[in-house]
Amino acid sequence: TTLDEDSEMNDDSRELHKEGQEKDGGMEISVHFTSSIHTTTHSGAINMGGNKEKRLMMLDYRARYIHVKQESLKVSNSQAVHMSKSEDTDDDDLDAFYSSSTESDQSKENHVHPMDVQMAVFHCSDSFLKQKMITKLSQCQYALPLLVPDLVTTNIECPLWTFRQITKIWKKSTTKDNSTTVTMKSMPVYNAKTPMVSFFRLGSMSVSKSQLMNALINDRHNTFFHRNCPGSTKSRHLMDGVAEIAWYCPAGKPNDFFFDCIAFCNLHGDSLAIVKQREILTKMSSVIVVLVPTLEKSHESSTVISMLYKSSKPLIVLIADKECSTVKTKQQKYKLGLKEKSQSDVSEELKKIIRNILCGSHTSFQLETMAKVSGVRLDEDTEVCQNGKSAAMELVKLIERMDVSEIKEKFLPCQGQLWHEWCKINKELHNLKGQIEKEKDQKIHQLMKLRQKQCDMSNSELMRLFTKSLKGLPPNDREYFLKWTQILIDALSPDDLSSILQSYNETWSEVLVLKKKHEKSAQLNEKQAKLEHLSKKLQSATFGLEHFFREMGQIYEAHKSLKRPSVGRQTEWTKYPELAADLMIKGHPMELMDGDAGHVPLLWISSLLNEVIKKLGDQKIFVLSVLGVPSNGKSTMLNAMFGLQFAVSAGRCTKGAYMQLVKLSEEIKKDYKFEYVLVVDTEGLCALELAGNATLHHDNELATFVVGLGNMTLINIFGENPAEMQDVLQIVVQALMRMKKVKLSPGCVFVHQNVTDISAKEKNMDGKRRLQEKLDKMAQQAPTEE
C-alpha cells in the first residue's frame, strides 16, 4: 500500500479518515485507512497495521520490523533475459549479466515503509487507542510523535493526551566536594522539566541523523527508526514533517552518557522545506544540532544557519564534507566535520559538547507548555476531552495539598479502620470457641454496629462528586473522566513517593552496615524502627481509582447489610453495582479481593457480577489467575497476553486481586467453548516487606482463593531456577489439595520467564525432575502440617 503522492486526498478518503477516528481498534481501522489510499495488487500490506498493533500490544520491541510478503510477485531471474536459440558463449552470458534489466523492480513499489504503517494506524485510531499505542511504544523504548502534521488540513498537532500515562524514572548524579550524590526522580513525562536537544537536517545527506541520535541515547537499541533498520525503504509518505521525541534516563551509574534526564527531538525530513515545525522546535530547544552537506554561503542552507547562529540558542553544526575536529567559534556555537570519521567518534564528540553546554545555564522544556505554543493544536482541545477533564479537576481540587493518609481518613472512611475491624471480627465469627451461641450473637452485634458507623460516615463530598460524574456523564465523557482522574491523582504526590523510596534505600544501606559489625546497638534498633515506619508509609502512599471503587463497595455493603437504607440515599447506593458493571464490561479492572484487609467483599462482588450477567446474559467464562513472587512480571505478562492495563511497576504494586473481563473475538470464539476470559491478577507471594507479619498465613489465604477461583492458574517463575520458588510451590500445593474438599479441579501451568540460555531446556531437565519430587514430597507433608 502506498500513498499516491501526486494526488490530494479525495472526498471519500476524508470521510473514511473521519470514520477511522471515531472507531476503536487498530486492525479494523487500518483497513479503513488503507482502503482510502492508492492500493496495489497484493493483500499483505492491508494487514500490516493490524499485525504491527498486535505485536506492539504484546510489548514486542521488534514490532516495527515487519516485512511485506511479495506473494503475487515472481522473483526476477536470469531466465528473464532474452536467450538466443544457438548456444551462448561465456562472453554473451557476461554481456547479458552486465546489461540492465528492462523490467521495473516491482518489489520496491509494493513495499511499505514500517514508519508509514505506524503513522497510518496512529492517524486512524481514536484518542484512547492512540494513548495505549504511544504508552506501549514508550515501554518498548521507542521515540514518540511530538508534532504531527494533519493529513488533510496540514495543521500541526501535538498529541499531548497520548503522553499522559507515561512515567519516567531516572537517577540524577551531582558531584560536590569530590563526592557524588545520586537522587532518584519519578514523574509523569508531561510534567518533567528537562533540557531538549533538537536535531535538524538541511538538505540531502548520506549520514543517517536518526542513527546518530540512537548512539547518544542507547547504542544497542534503535530508539529512532533509521534508513539501515530492517524493512526500511527509500520512499516514505507519512513521516516527513513528524517530530519525534525520546528521553535519555540515567541510572546513576559511572557509565551514564549524561547525568540528568534529557529529551532528544528528531524532525524527520528536510528541514529546509519543513519550516513551521523547525521554527516551533527552535523556540523550545535548549540545544540545536544541525546536519548539513556543506557549510558554504552559496548553499541553500546558509540562510537558516545564519539565523540559528545569531540566535541565543546553543548551536552545533555537523558538516558532511569537512574533516575538521570540534571548533568553538563563539559562545556556545560549535562546528564538527563528519568526513572520514566513524559514527562512534562523532557520537563521543557530540556527547562531550552537549554535556559541556548543559553544565551551564540553559532553558528547559516541558510537554505541557505545548498548549501555549502558537501554531500548534492540542489533541486535548476536543469538547469531550475537556468535559471529562473539568469533572476530574473538580474532584481532585478537594484533595489537593493533602497527604494520602489524610485523604483516605477524611473522604474514604468506610474502607479504613471500620472495614479492617469488620474483617477481623468476621474471621473470628467463623472460628468460634467456648460458648459458641453467645459469642456468635456478640460478634454479629459488633458487625452490625460497624456497618451502622459506615452508613453514618458514607456521605463524603468526594464520593458524591465521583458517583455523580459516573452517572451523569455520557459514555465517552465518562471514559475521559476516569482517565483524567487517575492522571491527576498520579500527579499529586510523585515527589513524596520518590523521597520515601530514597529515604528507605538510604536507611536500609545504613542497617546493612551496622549488621556487618555484628553488634546489637541502640542505633541499629532505631534504624530498623525507622525502616519499619518507612515501609508502612510506602504501602499507604498508594492511591488510585481502585480506592474510589473500594469505597463504593463498602457503602453498598453497609446499606445492604442493615436492610434499611438511609433517607434519600436509596436510589444512589443501589445503582453502584450497575455503574461498576458498565465499566467492567468496557474493560476496566475491578478489585476482587481487598489486599489491605485481606478480604473479599462478598455482597458487593456478587451484586456486581449479577449486574454483569443481566447486561451480557449468562455467558460462559474461563477464569485465568496468576501467582508468583513480587515484581516477577505477573501483571506485565497478562498485559502482553491480553492487551490489558493492570498496574505495572517495580515493588509491591498490585495488592489483593483484580479481575478484568476480556471478550473473545468471533474468529477465536468458534475454537473454544466460552465467550469471555476473566483474568485475575494478584499481589506477590512471600513479599519481603510483609516478612514477619503473618506472611505465610496471608499467602496461604491468597493462594487458596486464587487457585480455587481459576479454571487455570499460571505459576510465574522468573529466571531459570525453580528452587527459588520452593516456598510458593508449597503454598500452591496446599491450595490445590484443599480444592478436593469443594470438588474443584483447577489446572496449573508453570511459566518460566527470562530463560536466556539456548540449552536451558536440556539443562533444566534435572531441575524439573527435582521440582516434581519436591511437589510429591510437599503433597505428602501437607496433611500433617495442616
Side-chain angles (χ1 to χ4, degrees):
T1 307
T2 51
L3 272 173
D4 189 352
E5 285 182 291
D6 300 320
S7 63
E8 290 290 321
M9 226 186 216
N10 58 31
D11 292 332
D12 290 340
S13 72
R14 283 196 184 94
E15 202 57 41
L16 282 163
H17 180 66
K18 185 180 176 186
E19 181 186 347
Q21 287 182 318
E22 291 168 357
K23 285 182 177 285
D24 194 354
M27 199 158 167
E28 184 182 5
I29 290 165
S30 59
V31 172
H32 279 284
F33 183 84
T34 48
S35 64
S36 72
I37 299 172
H38 169 70
T39 55
T40 52
T41 53
H42 77 274
S43 61
I46 296 289
N47 295 319
M48 278 183 75
N51 290 335
K52 181 168 182 170
E53 190 73 7
K54 272 186 192 174
R55 283 197 185 183
L56 188 62
M57 291 302 163
M58 289 167 65
L59 289 179
D60 186 342
Y61 74 96
R62 298 161 297 182
R64 293 192 296 202
Y65 309 136
I66 296 178
H67 295 278
V68 185
K69 292 177 183 176
Q70 307 296 335
E71 290 171 359
S72 62
L73 300 167
K74 292 178 182 176
V75 177
S76 178
N77 57 35
S78 58
Q79 291 174 357
V81 179
H82 176 70
M83 307 287 278
S84 62
K85 289 181 182 178
S86 59
E87 281 190 23
D88 289 326
T89 63
D90 286 346
D91 288 343
D92 290 337
D93 196 30
L94 190 62
D95 290 342
F97 185 72
Y98 273 111
S99 68
S100 58
S101 174
T102 54
E103 293 179 9
S104 62
D105 188 352
Q106 288 291 322
S107 65
K108 283 189 179 177
E109 288 178 28
N110 286 312
H111 203 103
V112 188
H113 195 286
M115 292 304 289
D116 279 347
V117 177
Q118 180 179 307
M119 292 312 295
V121 175
F122 181 85
H123 282 297
C124 293
S125 303
D126 76 350
S127 58
F128 294 107
L129 183 59
K130 276 182 186 175
Q131 190 182 70
K132 206 172 190 180
M133 180 181 165
I134 297 307
T135 305
K136 299 279 184 183
L137 280 170
S138 174
Q139 288 173 319
C140 290
Q141 305 302 319
Y142 282 150
L144 315 173
L146 174 68
L147 297 175
V148 182
D150 189 285
L151 293 175
V152 181
T153 63
T154 69
N155 290 333
I156 308 299
E157 183 180 88
C158 172
L160 182 59
W161 170 252
T162 66
F163 291 91
R164 290 289 184 181
Q165 288 199 308
I166 299 170
T167 299
K168 290 290 178 187
I169 301 168
W170 69 93
K171 289 184 178 178
K172 182 181 176 181
S173 302
T174 47
T175 306
K176 194 176 181 182
D177 301 329
N178 295 325
S179 65
T180 304
T181 309
V182 178
T183 314
M184 193 188 91
K185 289 198 168 188
S186 171
M187 62 176 65
V189 75
Y190 65 85
N191 216 11
K193 284 186 179 179
T194 63
M196 183 163 82
V197 182
S198 292
F199 280 68
F200 304 141
R201 167 172 65 82
L202 302 175
S204 182
M205 298 279 293
S206 59
V207 181
S208 171
K209 169 168 52 75
S210 300
Q211 198 168 2
L212 180 61
M213 292 182 75
N214 288 338
L216 299 177
I217 299 171
N218 184 346
D219 49 12
R220 292 161 301 186
H221 175 67
N222 293 318
T223 306
F224 294 95
F225 192 93
H226 57 84
R227 65 184 68 164
N228 298 318
C229 284
S232 181
T233 63
K234 193 175 180 181
S235 60
R236 60 181 191 201
H237 306 282
L238 299 177
M239 277 306 288
D240 283 356
V242 174
E244 285 190 306
I245 190 167
W247 285 265
Y248 175 84
C249 296
K253 294 179 180 177
N255 62 347
D256 286 337
F257 299 160
F258 306 100
F259 305 118
D260 201 353
C261 184
I262 299 175
F264 284 88
C265 189
N266 183 14
L267 180 57
H268 290 276
D270 187 351
S271 295
L272 286 171
I274 307 162
V275 180
K276 204 171 181 182
Q277 289 92 310
R278 189 190 73 219
E279 288 175 348
I280 290 165
L281 291 175
T282 301
K283 287 176 189 172
M284 306 191 74
S285 300
S286 314
V287 181
I288 298 162
V289 182
V290 178
L291 279 78
V292 289
T294 184
L295 193 62
E296 293 177 359
K297 284 193 174 180
S298 58
H299 194 262
E300 56 186 344
S301 63
S302 61
T303 311
V304 178
I305 295 288
S306 301
M307 183 186 67
L308 293 172
Y309 190 81
K310 289 171 185 174
S311 76
S312 59
K313 301 277 181 180
L315 174 68
I316 306 166
V317 180
L318 305 178
I319 314 149
D321 66 347
K322 286 277 196 314
E323 283 188 52
C324 68
S325 54
T326 306
V327 177
K328 188 177 179 182
T329 58
K330 194 182 173 183
Q331 185 66 25
Q332 295 191 320
K333 310 290 178 183
Y334 299 81
K335 66 177 180 179
L336 172 64
L338 302 180
K339 197 175 180 182
E340 303 297 331
K341 280 194 179 77
S342 69
Q343 186 177 282
S344 60
D345 289 343
V346 174
S347 66
E348 284 304 316
E349 281 292 314
L350 262 178
K351 284 173 198 171
K352 283 178 193 171
I353 299 168
I354 293 167
R355 273 200 300 260
N356 188 33
I357 292 170
L358 296 179
C359 279
S361 61
H362 56 266
T363 56
S364 290
F365 164 76
Q366 193 178 12
L367 267 171
E368 275 203 315
T369 58
M370 295 299 287
K372 299 171 187 173
V373 178
S374 61
V376 176
R377 190 180 75 84
L378 291 186
D379 58 347
E380 293 179 351
D381 290 341
T382 57
E383 186 184 350
V384 65
C385 183
Q386 289 302 314
N387 288 345
K389 186 179 182 180
S390 57
M393 284 181 80
E394 189 183 353
L395 188 80
V396 174
K397 266 181 191 173
L398 288 173
I399 55 177
E400 274 180 330
R401 299 182 190 87
M402 284 176 74
D403 189 62
V404 171
S405 55
E406 195 185 341
I407 295 167
K408 288 178 181 177
E409 197 177 314
K410 184 178 179 182
F411 293 114
L412 309 171
C414 295
Q415 63 186 266
Q417 191 58 41
L418 293 173
W419 167 232
H420 287 228
E421 189 67 30
W422 189 95
C423 295
K424 185 186 166 191
I425 295 167
N426 188 56
K427 280 183 184 177
E428 289 169 3
L429 183 63
H430 292 86
N431 292 281
L432 295 170
K433 293 170 187 176
Q435 296 179 315
I436 291 173
E437 287 303 319
K438 188 182 177 184
E439 272 193 51
K440 188 179 177 182
D441 288 343
Q442 281 179 350
K443 300 286 180 199
I444 290 170
H445 181 66
Q446 286 174 326
L447 291 175
M448 285 299 146
K449 274 182 78 176
L450 287 167
R451 287 302 191 196
Q452 184 59 58
K453 283 181 183 177
Q454 282 183 317
C455 284
D456 296 341
M457 298 175 80
S458 66
N459 202 16
S460 80
E461 194 180 346
L462 188 74
M463 287 307 296
R464 272 207 316 274
L465 271 175
F466 183 72
T467 51
K468 179 187 164 191
S469 296
L470 282 186
K471 283 190 296 183
L473 291 170
N476 265 10
D477 296 40
R478 187 173 62 199
E479 284 292 317
Y480 276 107
F481 162 70
L482 288 169
K483 286 272 186 188
W484 272 115
T485 303
Q486 188 62 65
I487 288 162
L488 294 170
I489 286 171
D490 288 345
L492 282 178
S493 57
D495 294 336
D496 293 351
L497 197 59
S498 297
S499 62
I500 295 168
L501 283 166
Q502 184 87 11
S503 184
Y504 188 94
N505 189 39
E506 287 168 7
T507 311
W508 177 242
S509 302
E510 288 167 7
V511 166
L512 288 176
V513 171
L514 289 167
K515 277 187 174 179
K516 279 180 186 175
K517 293 177 181 177
H518 300 290
E519 57 175 52
K520 291 200 170 183
S521 60
Q523 193 182 4
L524 177 62
N525 293 334
E526 187 187 322
K527 292 289 178 190
Q528 283 180 322
K530 187 183 176 184
L531 205 62
E532 192 62 33
H533 172 70
L534 286 168
S535 180
K536 284 178 182 174
K537 203 172 177 184
L538 199 60
Q539 286 179 58
S540 64
T542 54
F543 180 53
L545 277 176
E546 66 270 20
H547 292 91
F548 286 93
F549 291 113
R550 190 185 289 178
E551 190 74 5
M552 279 172 68
Q554 283 311 302
I555 292 169
Y556 179 82
E557 286 220 329
H559 286 93
K560 184 98 173 169
S561 300
L562 294 174
K563 293 174 184 168
R564 45 186 177 85
S566 306
V567 181
R569 301 268 293 155
Q570 183 175 358
T571 51
E572 192 173 320
W573 67 263
T574 51
K575 294 287 181 187
Y576 286 179
E578 190 183 346
L579 288 173
D582 284 335
L583 295 172
M584 190 173 166
I585 291 164
K586 280 201 172 274
H588 286 269
M590 287 289 160
E591 189 175 61
L592 182 60
M593 178 183 182
D594 182 342
D596 291 321
H599 205 90
V600 181
L602 283 172
L603 286 173
W604 166 246
I605 294 298
S606 56
S607 298
L608 167 59
L609 294 177
N610 281 333
E611 283 296 332
V612 172
I613 291 165
K614 270 188 205 173
K615 290 174 184 292
L616 296 178
D618 198 3
Q619 307 278 5
K620 288 182 180 176
I621 65 162
F622 183 89
V623 183
L624 181 74
S625 52
V626 64
L627 277 175
V629 296
S631 300
N632 76 342
K634 296 182 299 298
S635 302
T636 306
M637 178 173 69
L638 293 176
N639 290 354
M641 284 170 69
F642 297 101
L644 307 179
Q645 286 184 295
F646 286 121
V648 175
S649 68
R652 196 182 178 86
C653 49
T654 310
K655 290 207 76 181
Y658 287 83
M659 57 181 175
Q660 196 163 342
L661 204 59
V662 180
K663 187 178 182 181
L664 267 64
S665 65
E666 292 302 320
E667 310 94 73
I668 300 172
K669 204 184 287 183
K670 60 191 176 198
D671 298 328
Y672 296 95
K673 293 177 182 175
F674 48 85
E675 283 84 17
Y676 288 86
V677 178
L678 187 74
V679 184
V680 179
D681 187 24
T682 60
E683 66 180 275
L685 301 174
C686 312
L688 289 172
E689 62 268 39
L690 286 186
N693 296 336
T695 314
L696 187 64
H697 192 66
H698 170 273
D699 287 349
N700 274 328
E701 286 179 350
L702 180 66
T704 306
F705 174 65
V706 169
V707 171
L709 198 69
N711 296 95
M712 181 175 284
T713 303
L714 302 178
I715 314 296
N716 197 37
I717 302 171
F718 194 76
E720 296 175 13
N721 186 9
E724 291 175 8
M725 281 289 289
Q726 184 169 338
D727 292 340
V728 172
L729 294 177
Q730 199 160 353
I731 293 163
V732 173
V733 169
Q734 294 255 14
L736 281 167
M737 292 187 73
R738 287 195 186 100
M739 294 306 110
K740 290 181 181 179
K741 295 179 183 177
V742 283
K743 294 178 182 173
L744 289 174
S745 52
C748 259
V749 175
F750 292 87
V751 182
H752 283 250
Q753 282 200 63
N754 215 36
V755 179
T756 51
D757 193 338
I758 198 166
S759 61
K761 187 177 178 181
E762 289 74 18
K763 285 182 180 176
N764 280 346
M765 287 305 287
D766 184 54
K768 284 181 184 176
R769 180 181 63 81
R770 290 176 187 278
L771 173 63
Q772 284 191 326
E773 287 174 0
K774 269 179 192 162
L775 286 168
D776 290 340
K777 193 177 178 184
M778 288 167 195
Q780 288 166 6
Q781 287 177 351
T784 54
E785 288 182 5
E786 191 69 23

